[in-house]
Amino acid sequence: MELWIKKIESASTLEELESLRVDTLGKKGVLTIEFAKMKDILAVDKKSFAENLNRQKDQITKALDSKKIELEIIALDKKLQFEKIDVTKFNNELSCGAAHPVAETMNRIINYFLNLNFTVEEGPLVEDDFHNFQALNLPEYHPARDMADTFYNKDYTLLRTHTSPVQIRTMLSQKAPIRMIAPGTVFRRDFDITHTPMFHQIEALVVDEADKISFANLKHVLVEFLQHMFGEVEVRFRPSYFPFTEPSAEVDISCVFCKGSGCRVCSQTGWLEVLGCGVVDQNVFDAVGYKDKSGYAFGLGIERFAMLIHSIGDLRSLFESDTRLLGQFKWLLQEDG
Ligand code: PHE
């Protein structure tokens, strides 16, 4: 038996150990054969014969078990070494993300107005009719409601179609004077090359005592702002209509691509429309209970700004998460420090 134990102890693989188990304890193993001899042993000798065999079986089993554990550890070590992954092998340079052009443009605009002492206000994305329409001088059945194709919920709440309801919420919760911007997500039922059902706007509202705020103030702030964003561009105010401002204007800049001489992007006009603005309509002040106040407001689409600043041709590419596009904006992070 000692010979078998020695063999077991010097086994070098699990397969070898298994065949030693078969040779000793298996159906035709040496010990099994010994046990079979029991029936021929005289009754008086049976007990000591059996005890002896059981002891041997015990020793062999113990030797097999402990060798098995030992060989399994070795086998696992080998396997781990083989499967080891060198995480530094392909790229030992840390790759960092980039600011999304929409977020980056939004932050640029927010920072500009923070420097002018504007506050940043927020409002809910799920709005009600009062804040999104009625208080903004858009009563029920007003034809201008068609300007925005609205997503309505079953409970008559809606997804806000612009950031203008934040004007209302801010005036209802704060006293004049107000200088605020409201950046955020807005929703419209529109989807083509120049529209996505979700996009971003920044709203601005300035309110002070009656006659203190005029269109001239608005014009000055916007010309400065647009030249900060787009460089040396010309700025043009075109009369327009918004229910919540009177007078209202749409603002164009000279085309940043052709410098005003006419190209495909500006449809040969030399001008690009970039925002809507106006002097706050008296009906809006009435809706929030503001008396003897004056103010201006404007609102702009951030995607449009981002596309013009970074020469991005298709609006939809801003929402496709293609890292080949997004990776190009890493330098913006470095620029910000
Ligand atoms: N809310 C308008 C829009 O979504 C933009 C706007 C804001 C116009 C404030 C005038 C004043 O188109």
Side-chain angles (χ1 to χ4, degrees):
M1 236 1 94
E2 257 162 43
L3 186 72
W4 286 106
I5 298 216
K6 275 216 175 90
K7 275 192 186 172
I8 289 171
E9 279 171 355
S10 57
S12 58
T13 65
L14 282 165
E15 294 74 35
E16 200 181 319
L17 191 69
E18 174 60 12
S19 81
L20 284 168
R21 189 192 65 78
V22 173
D23 290 348
T24 49
L25 304 177
K27 262 188 190 164
K28 290 175 187 163
V30 285
L31 267 173
T32 318
I33 290 167
E34 284 301 303
F35 272 107
K37 290 180 185 160
M38 259 303 237
K39 59 181 189 319
D40 306 322
I41 303 281
L42 289 176
V44 280
D45 298 332
K46 238 181 198 157
K47 192 176 172 211
S48 68
F49 183 83
E51 271 175 2
N52 184 31
L53 272 185
N54 276 329
R55 203 177 53 250
Q56 289 187 24
K57 185 182 174 187
D58 233 36
Q59 283 172 353
I60 298 258
T61 311
K62 272 194 190 129
L64 282 168
D65 285 352
S66 71
K67 191 70 194 179
K68 192 170 177 207
I69 293 171
E70 193 186 314
L71 288 176
E72 274 173 353
I73 292 173
I74 292 172
L76 182 66
D77 276 352
K78 258 197 195 150
K79 198 173 164 203
L80 285 179
Q81 214 162 15
F82 181 69
E83 290 178 356
K84 195 162 72 178
I85 296 170
D86 181 357
V87 289
T88 64
K89 199 162 181 178
F90 298 107
N91 187 359
N92 51 16
E93 247 177 62
L94 272 182
S95 158
C96 73
H100 190 282
V102 171
E104 187 270 336
T105 305
M106 191 187 262
N107 287 337
R108 249 202 242 192
I109 300 175
I110 292 173
N111 281 335
Y112 181 86
F113 285 103
L114 281 176
N115 284 336
L116 292 183
N117 261 339
F118 281 60
T119 62
V120 178
E121 307 292 343
E122 285 185 335
L125 305 189
V126 177
E127 264 297 0
D128 53 41
D129 199 86
F130 174 76
H131 294 90
N132 197 81
F133 290 126
Q134 279 174 45
L136 288 161
N137 198 27
L138 273 147
E140 220 177 336
Y141 305 120
H142 191 290
R145 283 197 181 203
D146 284 351
M147 274 161 54
D149 285 321
T150 313
F151 285 110
Y152 283 98
N153 296 317
K154 283 199 183 121
D155 60 358
Y156 295 105
T157 58
L158 50 88
L159 298 183
R160 68 178 184 192
T161 57
H162 49 181
T163 40
S164 303
V166 186
Q167 290 186 25
I168 302 301
R169 289 184 178 274
T170 308
M171 285 191 279
L172 285 172
S173 62
Q174 294 177 27
K175 286 193 185 125
I178 285 175
R179 287 171 151 253
M180 57 146 269
I181 54 166
T185 316
V186 300
F187 307 87
R188 290 184 196 172
R189 292 168 58 117
D190 236 345
F191 196 30
D192 58 36
I193 309 181
T194 51
H195 298 90
T196 47
M198 183 278 300
F199 61 103
H200 300 84
Q201 286 190 330
I202 286 198
E203 187 86 9
L205 172 71
V206 171
V207 180
D208 212 320
E209 297 311 315
D211 301 327
K212 252 186 131 174
I213 307 289
S214 70
F215 201 96
N217 301 126
L218 169 65
K219 195 172 170 191
H220 173 75
V221 166
L222 281 180
V223 171
E224 292 282 315
F225 164 61
L226 291 170
Q227 288 179 345
H228 171 81
M229 294 301 289
F230 296 105
E232 287 305 306
V233 287
E234 301 230 10
V235 180
R236 171 173 94 167
F237 287 71
R238 242 180 325 105
S240 184
Y241 172 75
F242 296 104
F244 29 92
T245 46
E246 181 60 36
S248 305
E250 274 171 318
V251 180
D252 302 336
I253 55 169
S254 51
C255 180
V256 289
F257 299 103
C258 63
K259 309 277 176 251
S261 60
C263 68
R264 201 175 51 84
V265 182
C266 61
S267 307
Q268 311 303 332
T269 63
W271 295 96
L272 298 165
E273 184 192 321
V274 286
L275 57 80
C277 65
V279 171
V280 179
D281 193 294
Q282 205 52 51
N283 288 344
V284 175
F285 286 143
D286 290 347
V288 296
Y290 268 28
K291 286 204 170 51
D292 304 320
K293 300 287 179 275
S294 62
Y296 68 72
F298 60 87
L300 60 92
I302 296 173
E303 280 77 2
R304 179 140 177 85
F305 270 54
M307 288 172 71
L308 293 176
I309 291 170
H310 298 301
S311 306
I312 298 169
D314 186 340
L315 171 68
R316 289 171 295 195
S317 63
L318 288 175
F319 301 108
E320 282 167 352
S321 303
D322 187 333
T323 50
R324 286 171 302 179
L325 177 98
L326 299 179
Q328 294 174 40
F329 294 93
K330 286 183 186 175
W331 58 272
L332 289 172
L333 283 179
Q334 284 152 14
E335 210 180 48
D336 282 355

